[in-house]
Amino acid sequence: MANKIGIYVCECGTNIAEKVDVEKVIAALSSVKDVAVVDKYKLLCSGDGQKYLRQSIEEHGLTHVVVAACSPKQHEITFMNVCE
């Protein structure tokens, strides 16, 4: 079975988006081998963000997920729960 990787960049409202060129990150990662989807979301940790992430994982049949977001101390468990 081939790897299907999803990469999700959280803008964290404006906290991350003001410091990082999210569009440039997405463009750079889009051509990486085995990456099926690269996308951004305003607040991945929110209820709607978690729902979006869960649906996208299922829709694309992802085998691996990378979440670029806030400190793992704050949301590691949140995203691990979504991926289960």
Side-chain angles (χ1 to χ4, degrees):
M1 178 187 214
N3 290 328
K4 288 186 79 177
I5 302 167
I7 302 173
Y8 299 90
V9 181
C10 182
E11 294 178 313
C12 194
T14 57
N15 292 334
I16 293 173
E18 284 183 353
K19 305 284 186 210
V20 176
D21 186 340
V22 174
E23 296 300 328
K24 190 172 184 178
V25 170
I26 289 171
L29 294 172
S30 293
S31 63
V32 174
K33 184 181 185 284
D34 296 329
V35 172
V37 61
V38 182
D39 207 356
K40 65 180 179 180
Y41 199 87
K42 284 280 183 206
L43 291 168
L44 278 171
C45 64
S46 70
D48 287 342
Q50 292 176 58
K51 180 179 177 182
Y52 159 77
L53 188 56
R54 188 175 291 112
Q55 288 173 339
S56 186
I57 290 168
E58 291 174 6
E59 175 185 332
H60 295 285
L62 301 178
T63 60
H64 296 75
V65 175
V66 176
V67 176
C70 294
S71 164
K73 290 179 182 180
Q74 290 181 319
H75 293 296
E76 179 179 20
I77 292 174
T78 301
F79 297 126
M80 288 177 70
N81 288 337
V82 169
C83 291
E84 285 181 356

